[in-house]
């Protein structure tokens, strides 16, 4: 009776374990396959976007002379803007000195009376 009981207990456990491991392997395989398919779709989407960008860049391409002229214009604008800011800073400093003197004169007149 001992071997029959062992066979009755071990056989279902063993077959259940084998069935469970096969099921888990299939599920993992399906999950990994789905992940690779999503990755493939994403790579194709990025590839299309890069191709579109390449075409847009080719359509909007400018010559080196045009780009150099644009950069030079930007540099000149920045120089003019810096000069104007320096002039404005000098004017504000001068105005502040005048206002400070007027305030001091006002305070001194109030103290003299």
């Amino acid at each position: 009776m001992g071997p029959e009981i062992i066979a009755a207990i071990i056989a279902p456990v063993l077959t259940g374990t084998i069935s469970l491991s096969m099921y888990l392997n299939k599920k993992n395989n399906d999950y990994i396959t789905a992940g690779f398919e999503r990755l493939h779709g994403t790579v194709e989407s990025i590839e299309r976007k890069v191709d579109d960008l390449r075409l847009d860049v080719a359509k909007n391409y400018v010559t080196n002379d045009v780009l150099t002229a644009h950069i030079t214009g930007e540099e000149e604008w920045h120089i003019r803007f810096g000069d104007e800011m320096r002039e404005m800073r000098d004017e504000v400093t001068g105005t502040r000195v005048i206002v400070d003197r007027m305030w001091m004169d006002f305070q001194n007149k109030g103290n003299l009376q």
Side-chain angles (χ1 to χ4, degrees):
M1 202 146 144
E4 293 90 13
I5 293 176
I6 293 173
I9 294 174
I10 292 180
V13 171
L14 185 61
T15 57
T17 304
I18 291 171
S19 296
L20 182 62
S21 65
M22 289 176 63
Y23 173 77
L24 290 175
N25 283 336
K26 182 173 178 352
K27 285 308 244 182
N28 284 341
N29 187 25
D30 292 343
Y31 182 74
I32 290 171
T33 302
F36 278 126
E37 287 174 357
R38 284 192 307 267
L39 179 64
H40 179 70
T42 304
V43 168
E44 282 183 346
S45 174
I46 291 171
E47 181 183 1
R48 282 193 300 273
K49 288 179 182 177
V50 167
D51 285 343
D52 291 344
L53 177 64
R54 183 178 48 109
L55 293 173
D56 288 344
V57 167
K59 282 191 284 185
N60 298 328
Y61 179 74
V62 295
T63 63
N64 192 26
D65 295 335
V66 172
L67 184 61
T68 303
H70 177 75
I71 292 171
T72 304
E74 287 289 322
E75 289 172 349
E76 291 172 358
W77 181 85
H78 282 283
I79 290 170
R80 281 196 319 268
F81 185 77
D83 291 342
E84 290 175 5
M85 289 299 291
R86 248 187 309 289
E87 289 175 15
M88 187 182 300
R89 184 178 60 231
D90 293 343
E91 290 174 4
V92 167
T93 302
T95 304
R96 188 174 65 202
V97 168
I98 292 170
V99 169
D100 286 345
R101 286 181 186 161
M102 290 172 61
W103 178 248
M104 295 292 281
D105 289 345
F106 175 76
Q107 286 181 335
N108 287 339
K109 285 183 182 178
N111 290 337
L112 294 176
Q113 294 177 355

